[in-house]
Every structure is written in C-alpha cells, then in structure tokens.
Amino acid sequence: MSDIVPRTRTAFPLPLLTAVALTAAGLALLVFGATTAQLVPPARAAVALLGLGMAFGGASRLGKRWAGPGFDVVFWFGAGWLLLLGLAILFAPWLGLAEDRDVATTVLEPVFRPPAFTGAHPLGTNGFGLDLLARSLYGARSSLLISLSAVAIGTVVGGAVGMVAGYFGKAADRAVGIATNSLLAVPPLILLIALATVLQPRLRNVAFSLALLTVPGMVRLARATTMAYANREFVVAARAMGATRSRILLRELLPNVLLPLLSLAVVMISVLIVAEASLSFLGLGIQPPEPTWGNMIAEGEGRVFEAHPHIVLVPGAFLFLTVFAFNIVGEKARGRWDSRSVKL
C-alpha cells in the first residue's frame, strides 16, 4: 500500500478570509471617506460609496456562509438600523447629548460646526449652536411618533371599514367605494395643506391629518382580502353552525386580513415620514424649536446649504436611511404575508 499524505486544512477557508478582508477594507474606506479632510467633497463621497459597496459585498458573503443562500444583507441592514435608531431614541435622555432646542444655553457654542465624529458635537451644530445629533434623534422621536400614530389610526379605521364593505357588500360596499374614491380624488399634498391651515400644528393634529392618507389604501386592501376569504370553507362552516356576523368577522376573517394590513402598514410608515417631513419643511408641521427632520432640513434654505451642507445632509441621511429601512422591511413582510398579491 502506498502512503497517502493527508491534506492539511486551514483554520479559515479562503472564501471566508476574502469576505472578512473585503468587509474590513470596505469599512475602512467608508470611515476614511467620511472623516478625512485631505480630499475634495466629491472624492470623499466617491471613496465612501466605494467602501460602502465593498462592505455590503463582504457582509453579504459572510451572511450567506453563516445563514445560507437566502440571506439578505439589505434586509438585515434595514432591520439593524431601525433597531439601533429605536434604542437611541429610547435612551436619548441618558446618552449625555448636547442641547437640542434651548438657544439660550448655546450662546457660547460654535455655530455651523462641521461634523468631526469626536467631541461634544460629533455631527456638528446648526446656526444657533444646537447639536445636530441630539436634534436628529429627538426629531426622529417626533417623526416616528406621528407616523406610527397615523398608521395605527388608519389601519384600525380603514381595516374595519374595508372588512364591513367586503363582507356585507351591496349598499355598504357602494357607499364605502364612493367615500374612498372621493378621498383619493383629492391630491394628498393639497389635502394636508388644507388641514394644516385649519388645525393647529400639534402632534395630535398632524397625526390625524396624515391618518387620512392611509385610510383609502387600508380600506381597499381589507375589502379585497375579505372578499377573497368570505366564501372559503371555514367561513361557510361557521355560518352554517349559526355563528353571528360579528363573530365571523372577528374570529374567522380578521386573522386572515390582519397580516396583509400590517405588512402594508410598515410600508406606509415610510410614506408618512416623508409626508410629515414635507409639512414641517413648508412650515405647516411641528414648529421650531421642537426638532423634526423636516424643519431641520428647512434650516438649509437659501445659501446656507452651499456654505454648510451638513445642515441638510445630517437630517437628510437620517430621513433617507429610516425610509429606506421601513421600505425594505415592509416589502419583505409583504412578500411573506401577502404572497397572494391581491389586486386593489
């Protein structure tokens, strides 16, 4: 018998080392592009984007090796951002952040300080010396509270109305259809501006105004889903056993309607975040010094953005990442819970 020389196995296979190296190099380029002052802004942006792409590529390889080919690095990035933002908002009072709204205490603070990622103002300050990191986090609290409240109201009201219209049909369905189409006929921005001129710019009123944007979509989805399940075997069996209409709606139909509504609600949160930011940007939403992403972006009007772009880029980055994350998570949820692709 000939001697067989055993092959030596490395502790880390080459593909794993490549993925780790790619991720580390991407993160290094991202940090370098975001912090260096040796390059002009377009070159810094190009380096940061290159590093971001490399980091995503490496993280995707690592995730697929760890969790299988179905690993979606973009989804986990979105979920991670939402988790990190939620924790930051929750613990913001204990993070030792600088002042975010009282200009009387920031007289001696530097104004329009650019991001330095170190010190007392890591993301810089605005024209009043207020800290942009603190304002972005507390602005996220206002924007998310308004959006979540509006989506909750729209989901409950629209879901209930849509289920009633889909189950009873006839006159109820026609009345709901006319009301829904009438609401959809009004341009959303015009509707919001009209409500903002009548209602005071308080959190409750802004949430109520934005809830009107979610009701038609929720009504149509709940109606279509209810009609799809109204003649299924378990509903017919419950009706034959003498179940009341309210019991059929709550016990038989609601569990099947709820998941598609929740998946649409996650996507609608991102839409309402943008809508609330638009109202605040126009001066019709939450008023300064209460921070929201919209009125923070409005501080860059005129030539302020040209001289101090971080005034707009910092809240704009928070807005973009949050809306992007909600869209990704919502689309993933719709693909899992609403695979029937109900046509509205």
Side-chain angles (χ1 to χ4, degrees):
M1 296 177 63
S2 59
D3 296 334
I4 299 177
V5 179
R7 295 183 179 179
T8 58
R9 295 184 178 181
T10 57
F12 296 98
L14 185 59
L16 179 60
L17 292 176
T18 303
V20 172
L22 186 63
T23 305
L27 292 176
L29 285 177
L30 179 60
V31 173
F32 176 77
T35 58
T36 185
Q38 302 175 357
L39 300 176
V40 295
R44 292 173 58 184
V47 172
L49 289 176
L50 177 61
L52 183 62
M54 293 174 60
F56 263 90
S60 179
R61 293 185 181 182
L62 288 175
K64 289 180 179 180
R65 184 177 182 84
W66 168 64
F71 180 81
D72 188 355
V73 66
V74 179
F75 167 77
W76 285 107
F77 170 78
W81 169 259
L82 293 179
L83 177 61
L84 179 63
L85 182 64
L87 292 175
I89 293 172
L90 183 62
F91 295 104
W94 298 279
L95 293 180
L97 301 173
E99 182 58 42
D100 66 293
R101 67 189 70 186
D102 188 3
V103 297
T105 63
T106 59
V107 177
L108 301 179
E109 295 291 338
V111 297
F112 293 122
R113 180 177 179 178
F117 301 100
T118 56
H121 307 288
L123 296 183
T125 60
N126 66 357
F128 299 99
L130 299 174
D131 184 65
L132 288 183
L133 174 59
R135 286 180 63 80
S136 296
L137 291 180
Y138 284 107
R141 175 181 292 181
S142 300
S143 297
L144 290 178
L145 182 59
I146 291 173
S147 302
L148 291 173
S149 301
V151 167
I153 295 172
T155 302
V156 173
V157 175
V161 173
M163 288 182 64
V164 170
Y167 184 74
F168 290 98
K170 298 181 181 180
D173 191 18
R174 287 195 297 270
V176 171
I178 293 174
T180 302
N181 291 329
S182 300
L183 193 58
L184 289 173
V186 182
L189 184 59
I190 301 300
L191 177 62
L192 291 178
I193 292 176
L195 291 174
T197 57
V198 176
L199 302 175
Q200 294 183 356
R202 297 177 180 176
L203 189 148
R204 179 181 58 187
N205 294 336
V206 175
F208 171 75
S209 301
L210 293 177
L212 294 179
L213 300 183
T214 67
V215 170
M218 295 297 180
V219 168
R220 302 181 80 177
L221 178 59
R223 173 183 174 274
T225 309
T226 301
M227 293 177 65
Y229 282 98
N231 294 319
R232 296 287 294 271
E233 294 81 1
F234 57 92
V235 177
V236 175
R239 190 182 299 119
M241 294 174 64
T244 61
R245 293 177 175 179
S246 59
R247 180 181 176 86
I248 293 175
L249 286 171
L250 295 176
R251 299 292 298 273
E252 307 297 338
L253 293 176
L254 181 59
N256 295 286
V257 176
L258 188 59
L259 289 181
L261 285 181
L262 291 179
S263 61
L264 178 61
V266 176
V267 177
M268 288 299 300
I269 292 174
S270 62
V271 177
L272 297 188
I273 290 174
V274 175
E276 186 278 328
S278 301
L279 284 179
S280 298
F281 179 82
L282 295 174
L284 301 175
I286 304 300
Q287 300 297 309
E290 181 76 19
T292 66
W293 291 332
N295 61 34
M296 289 177 65
I297 294 174
E299 295 178 3
E301 289 182 318
R303 296 188 177 275
V304 176
F305 176 69
E306 297 180 4
H308 311 284
H310 69 282
I311 295 297
V312 174
L313 295 180
V314 170
F318 274 87
L319 177 63
F320 169 79
L321 290 174
T322 305
V323 171
F324 176 81
F326 272 115
N327 278 329
I328 292 299
V329 174
E331 289 299 328
K332 194 79 171 182
R334 292 187 68 179
R336 180 176 180 179
W337 293 338
D338 194 22
S339 58
R340 295 171 296 107
S341 300
V342 178
K343 295 183 179 180
L344 305 182

